[in-house]
Amino acid sequence: MSKFYIPESTLYICMGSKCSKKGSKELYKNLKSHLRKEGMDDIELIKTECTDRCKFAPVLSVNPGNIWLSEYTSKDIYKLVDDLKKRL
């Protein structure tokens, strides 16, 4: 049986219709690739359904810390991940 893994940080990316139209699908792919390339196994990336924050699309949440990004770009995500990496 494999060991149950608990990551240090988890990023939740909204994949609701507004967020998807604003690029969350592409940003998810880019971030997933970035995390693999950088070997950041302590950060998990999870797609979520609509978070009901459509006017701020795209939306991303980070736990622990209850950090929220709205109307973000790839550059914003990479900065956030780099900051998380420094804390781990």
Side-chain angles (χ1 to χ4, degrees):
M1 182 174 0
S2 64
K3 183 179 176 184
F4 184 74
Y5 175 72
I6 300 172
E8 293 293 324
S9 292
T10 305
L11 281 68
Y12 299 92
I13 296 185
C14 180
M15 293 293 172
S17 62
K18 289 264 183 171
C19 286
S20 292
K21 287 177 187 173
K22 297 273 186 151
S24 67
K25 286 182 181 179
E26 188 64 34
L27 292 165
Y28 174 86
K29 289 177 190 175
N30 292 342
L31 182 54
K32 187 121 178 132
S33 173
H34 179 73
L35 292 174
R36 276 194 209 131
K37 184 176 120 184
E38 297 295 320
M40 295 186 212
D41 297 332
D42 288 341
I43 300 174
E44 185 175 12
L45 184 59
I46 296 176
K47 295 177 188 179
T48 67
E49 295 296 323
C50 182
T51 59
D52 202 26
R53 291 167 172 84
C54 301
K55 65 182 175 182
F56 305 108
V59 177
L60 173 142
S61 172
V62 181
N63 280 304
N66 197 29
I67 299 166
W68 287 82
L69 291 184
S70 61
E71 301 175 18
Y72 60 85
T73 64
S74 290
K75 184 178 176 181
D76 297 325
I77 294 175
Y78 296 144
K79 182 182 181 326
L80 173 72
V81 168
D82 288 341
D83 290 346
L84 289 173
K85 186 178 173 182
K86 291 175 189 174
R87 293 184 208 168
L88 301 177

